[in-house]
Amino acid sequence: MTKADIVERVYSRMGGFTRRQAQELVESVFDLLKQSLEEGEKVKVSGFGNFVVRDKSERPGLNPRTKVKITLPPRRVVRFKPSPVLKKQLNPT
Amino acid sequence: MTKSELIERIATMCSISKTRAELVVNEVFDAMTQSLAEGDHIEIRGFGSFTVREYKPYTGVNPRTHRPVDVGAKKLPFFKVGKELRESVNARAGTPLPSDSDD
């Protein structure tokens, strides 16, 4: 599934929007998710999951080719924690 | 940001009612949930991709009672952040994270 498939679904299921509007709406959803995470703010989507921003401290690393020891700088990463509802959807009993 | 805040921002940004915005946002996440439930993977360029990983059954240990517990086979969604988002998020590494007001 790609963004185009999501646009098509919003367009066909909702009614009252042109394809172009559906496209803009879906783009806006992902743009807002991105903006929030870029600012370091977590996103909580009940029923789907939470996207959290975490800071990783610097750590020692190794250049695998030259075997030279280096210090890897601190990083900021995005983690996704699926909601129990989503997990259940993937594991029907 | 919570889903209801996302809905409000969509309503403002796209000049539609909150009711319509809620339907749109739900439709987006329902579509993704359904896709994953069908075993399909999702790829949103610039944002990231979701895949379903299958885990075999295993015997674990209850950390409190130290008793073995059987964990059945399961599927879990896995999110891999896209290059663009990974880089833009990491660009602010080293600056303080905002305090969470929505917890």
Side-chain angles (χ1 to χ4, degrees), chain B residues 35-89:
Chain B
S35 173
L36 292 172
E38 287 166 2
D40 192 11
H41 64 99
I42 306 169
E43 200 173 329
I44 310 293
R45 208 167 299 165
F47 182 73
S49 57
F50 296 86
T51 48
V52 178
R53 290 192 178 173
E54 295 196 37
Y55 292 82
K56 290 178 189 154
Y58 63 94
T59 306
V61 175
N62 179 327
R64 203 183 309 235
T65 63
H66 301 291
R67 277 170 207 263
V69 268
D70 285 324
V71 182
K74 63 185 168 190
K75 294 179 185 173
L76 287 178
F78 184 83
F79 174 66
K80 185 173 183 230
V81 64
K83 187 167 184 274
E84 189 192 305
L85 181 60
R86 185 173 68 230
E87 288 171 356
S88 59
V89 166

Side-chain angles (χ1 to χ4, degrees), chain A residues 27-61:
Chain A
E27 297 279 1
S28 302
V29 169
F30 289 108
D31 283 350
L32 287 170
L33 295 182
K34 277 198 264 183
Q35 261 178 44
S36 203
L37 296 169
E38 281 165 7
E39 286 162 16
E41 191 200 13
K42 74 166 91 147
V43 179
K44 305 205 278 190
V45 185
S46 63
F48 187 75
N50 297 345
F51 297 90
V52 294
V53 180
R54 302 195 58 177
D55 278 330
K56 303 281 180 186
S57 47
E58 63 168 34
R59 61 182 177 92

Side-chain angles (χ1 to χ4, degrees), chain A:
Chain A
M1 166 173 274
T2 63
K3 204 152 56 183
D5 298 314
I6 301 174
V7 169
E8 202 49 37
R9 177 153 156 157
V10 168
Y11 170 71
S12 61
R13 289 244 200 155
M14 288 232 13
F17 291 130
T18 63
R19 262 207 181 80
R20 195 200 173 93
Q21 282 172 318
Q23 166 93 34
E24 280 168 11
L25 285 161
V26 173
E27 297 279 1
S28 302
V29 169
F30 289 108
D31 283 350
L32 287 170
L33 295 182
K34 277 198 264 183
Q35 261 178 44
S36 203
L37 296 169
E38 281 165 7
E39 286 162 16
E41 191 200 13
K42 74 166 91 147
V43 179
K44 305 205 278 190
V45 185
S46 63
F48 187 75
N50 297 345
F51 297 90
V52 294
V53 180
R54 302 195 58 177
D55 278 330
K56 303 281 180 186
S57 47
E58 63 168 34
R59 61 182 177 92
L62 209 59
N63 179 327
R65 202 185 308 240
T66 63
K67 309 268 200 270
V68 174
K69 280 182 193 162
I70 45 167
T71 303
L72 297 172
R75 294 175 305 136
R76 178 167 289 180
V77 298
V78 177
R79 275 288 130 80
F80 174 66
K81 189 168 184 297
S83 129
V85 180
L86 177 58
K87 286 198 215 170
K88 200 139 205 185
Q89 290 283 331
L90 300 193
N91 298 280
T93 44

